[in-house]
Amino acid sequence: MSYQSWFVQHAQKHKIIVEKLLEQEKTEDTIIDYFDFENMVKNEPDFCPLYKDNKKCHEMEELNCYLCACPNFCFKDEGIKKVKKKVQYSFCSIESKDGKQGEYGDKIHQDCSKCRVPHFKNYVTKHFDLDWKKIMQKCSL
Ligand code: SF4
């Protein structure tokens, strides 16, 4: 699956959940809490492939799924630039110390496996918008 098709599909899934919560007149804070991992596993099993195994994408006590993927994750399926005969397809716009540029053959992809930045509730609150695509607007290059 390409970055772009994942991005479009995920945006749609996110939108459907938020619209449902707005119909229930949920507040911003309640909407954020609704995206807590434990609640999502129970109530939104299709939102993330890891839910069926009750597995978190990052080892952390309280993980919030509202900002999955990450507003700092920039990608371009056609490739962004050449780096030493390899092609870069994604990078972190804040160069998080817990992220890295992973090399996979002649491809370079951002490796976020050790970074928990977008999953903290206060980070979600700080960057919150009901429109997930608006938060992610600098991701798709
Ligand atoms: S390294 Fe962290 S902050 Fe950077 S894109 Fe990945 S998850 Fe986001």
Side-chain angles (χ1 to χ4, degrees), residues 24-72:
Q24 298 165 6
E25 298 179 355
K26 300 290 186 195
T27 63
E28 195 176 287
D29 225 36
T30 314
I31 290 174
I32 295 173
D33 287 345
Y34 184 87
F35 278 81
D36 280 344
F37 174 82
E38 285 76 18
N39 182 62
M40 292 293 282
V41 167
K42 247 186 328 195
N43 296 304
E44 306 291 346
D46 302 332
F47 188 71
C48 172
L50 296 175
Y51 290 170
K52 67 180 180 328
D53 305 319
N54 199 27
K55 191 171 178 326
K56 291 181 175 178
C57 56
H58 293 83
E59 277 320 311
M60 45 197 298
E61 184 87 12
E62 292 174 14
L63 186 146
N64 190 281
C65 303
Y66 192 90
L67 282 184
C68 176
C70 176
N72 309 308

